[in-house]
Amino acid sequence: MTEADLLQLLARGEDSRQQFKRDVTNADGLAAELVAFANSGGGRLFIGVHDNGTVAGLDAANVQRINQLLGNASSQHVRPAVHPTTENVATSLGLVIVVTVPDGHARPYQDNSGRFWVKQGADKRQVTAREELQRLSQRAGLLFADVVPVAGSSAADISSKVFTSYFEKRYGRRPDADGQSLDQVLQNIGLGDGAELNLAGVMLFAERPQRFRPAFMIKAVAFPGTVLHDTRYLDSEDIDGTLPEQFTRAFAFIKRNLRHVQGDQGFNSLGQLEIPEAALEELLVNALIHRDYFTSASIRVLVFADRVEIISPGHLPDSLNIEAIRRGVTNRRNPTLTDHAVQLLPYRGLGSGIRRAVGAWPQVEFDEDVRGNQFRVVVVRPPTPVIQGTSEVTLQMTGGATGKVTPQVTPQVTPQVTPQVAALLVALDVDLSRSELMNRLALRDRWNFADAYLKPALADQLIEMTIPDKPNSRLQRYRLTAKGDALRAAQAGGTEREP
């Protein structure tokens, strides 16, 4: 390294990959710096440099002393030992020692007092939380969250029907075909230790996974605007169950809170989703499979007027960055879970999911929040379509869309229609019961359906009961009113249904 090369590096200032020291005199303090770099992807320590990046310089005697101190600290004050390399760079103001600490392969490292250190920006901090220590072991390939036994669980918590169907599909026989106990079968395929289920077994096959891990679910909210602190919301759902169940319900939540574009399809069809389903599917599956299960937090799915956000606990592993995942580079954070989930979810692995998602919908942004320990995917929604018509009256449509409606419709149409009501109108092409409507809309929560869909549509006289004098009749059906039919036609940009 030449003096010019050195000065160019110093001009960048301190960050998580390089730090400046005027001098070092204490082996324990130096060991803490080495530990922090080794636990955080490696970096360089420049000795003989002021904090502001200007060269202070060292003489030959100090260089010899510091090199001896460095050898002692790296071998005797760090467990396990680290193996930095040094280079003495001559400058006009004296020598600068450049200490290069490699990314540690035996993490987690600790100092002589048993303390674990990691880099946090240009500084270092001590790690004390058990979850973070587990993540350090995970990054080193020594521990994976998906195979950690779940205390209190057992084979009795497995859904026999779901597991048997999966086992037969994948292995071509029933799990009890060889006369082995279910405990032994689960252990054989990596979902338990013979006594307890591991996290992969619980999240894929348990009857009620949240009984053991209540935070491992999806919290979904749809907002009418573009800010998270909005006090209003259009739809919300806490989505629990196994990972396949969470995927199905979360996907349905996103779809029912986005616009459908009619395109060349027939009027009575639901149309195509404004964002390709393939892109949303890939991103949602990736969040479920690759999230950090050492972090006790939920995945969040947020639908705004201009975007969809999927926020996963845990930032990218050390070996990955946003550019790498866009190229298809992958790192299996949960290898056992991934091995089984590929049979249960629309997941192909091989690092191709992100590339497929971006290929289907290029307006995808990624944001890695290391300090907040989360990874955010932002899917930009297309601009609100304009529905052409003959009147200058504007109508609020699904997801905040605006369109022009015909003069004869305008006096009857309610000014504000939520995405839920708009979706209900599209689904109601024939007389349907409450349960049939919920099935068409992929809804499970009867209360949410009544409050967000049915009651507003009835109140605005967009739909009506077929047996109005007996609202609780088991034969009750719902149908569009003339007003609802007109609004449905305006939404689709077509004509009203034939009577």
Side-chain angles (χ1 to χ4, degrees), residues 73-195:
S74 60
S75 61
Q76 303 298 321
H77 292 252
V78 176
R79 302 198 302 259
V82 296
H83 305 285
T85 60
T86 64
E87 181 179 0
N88 299 332
V89 181
T91 75
S92 58
L93 297 173
L95 294 171
V96 172
I97 302 176
V98 182
V99 182
T100 302
V101 183
D103 183 16
H105 296 296
R107 285 175 290 181
Y109 292 86
Q110 56 187 310
D111 64 19
N112 217 19
S113 300
R115 293 172 297 186
F116 298 89
W117 300 91
V118 294
K119 294 294 291 183
Q120 182 165 305
D123 298 321
K124 66 179 183 299
R125 63 177 174 82
Q126 186 179 350
V127 176
T128 56
R130 180 175 62 89
E131 288 180 347
E132 191 167 6
L133 288 173
Q134 289 174 326
R135 283 196 297 272
L136 284 174
S137 296
Q138 181 187 47
R139 291 170 194 160
L142 303 174
L143 179 65
F144 295 99
D146 57 340
V147 294
V148 173
V150 177
S153 67
S154 70
D157 296 303
I158 289 288
S159 169
S160 177
K161 179 180 179 180
V162 173
F163 181 71
T164 298
S165 174
Y166 164 76
F167 196 91
E168 288 179 333
K169 179 182 177 181
R170 181 168 188 182
Y171 300 104
R173 54 189 174 85
R174 289 182 56 82
D176 56 2
D178 297 334
Q180 293 182 326
S181 67
L182 183 55
D183 275 324
Q184 185 61 56
V185 172
L186 291 167
Q187 185 176 13
N188 292 346
I189 61 175
L191 297 176
D193 61 5

Side-chain angles (χ1 to χ4, degrees), residues 38-65:
N39 280 333
S40 306
R44 286 171 169 165
L45 182 63
F46 296 83
I47 305 175
V49 176
H50 293 296
D51 290 343
N52 63 5
T54 60
V55 174
L58 301 167
D59 59 24
N62 278 321
V63 168
Q64 183 178 7
R65 172 183 58 81

Side-chain angles (χ1 to χ4, degrees), residues 315-329:
H315 59 81
L316 293 174
D318 286 342
S319 59
L320 291 183
N321 55 38
I322 291 173
E323 181 183 353
I325 65 172
R326 280 186 174 274
R327 296 198 312 268
V329 179

Side-chain angles (χ1 to χ4, degrees), residues 323-480:
E323 181 183 353
I325 65 172
R326 280 186 174 274
R327 296 198 312 268
V329 179
T330 186
N331 184 327
R332 284 192 171 191
R333 176 178 265 150
N334 305 298
T336 298
L337 187 149
T338 302
D339 179 60
H340 293 283
V342 73
Q343 309 292 326
L344 297 162
L345 292 165
Y347 176 76
R348 300 171 183 83
L350 304 176
S352 56
I354 295 295
R355 297 187 68 183
R356 275 195 300 274
V358 174
W361 187 250
Q363 292 90 346
V364 179
E365 303 168 1
F366 303 98
D367 176 33
E368 183 178 19
D369 181 1
V370 176
R371 186 179 293 271
N373 192 36
Q374 63 182 17
F375 185 74
R376 185 168 67 111
V377 177
V378 180
V379 187
V380 179
R381 296 178 66 175
T384 301
V386 175
I387 302 174
Q388 299 297 328
T390 59
S391 172
E392 292 304 314
V393 179
T394 299
L395 173 67
Q396 186 73 21
M397 298 302 296
T398 304
T402 58
K404 305 293 182 61
V405 298
T406 58
Q408 63 267 28
V409 174
T410 303
Q412 300 175 344
V413 173
T414 179
Q416 295 284 336
V417 178
T418 66
Q420 290 75 22
V421 170
L424 177 66
L425 299 183
V426 173
L428 198 58
D429 55 347
V430 295
D431 296 357
L432 295 172
S433 68
R434 176 190 291 247
S435 60
E436 289 169 337
L437 267 171
M438 288 180 65
N439 286 337
R440 284 201 175 193
L441 294 166
L443 298 174
R444 294 176 55 182
D445 188 333
R446 292 176 60 86
W447 298 105
N448 177 60
F449 171 71
D451 291 340
Y453 294 78
L454 200 58
K455 291 179 182 178
L458 287 167
D460 289 337
Q461 299 180 350
L462 300 173
I463 66 172
E464 63 186 6
M465 299 179 186
T466 57
I467 313 175
D469 56 332
K470 295 182 180 179
N472 297 320
S473 170
R474 65 181 180 84
L475 301 178
Q476 188 66 260
R477 298 287 187 274
Y478 298 89
R479 63 191 173 204
L480 292 175

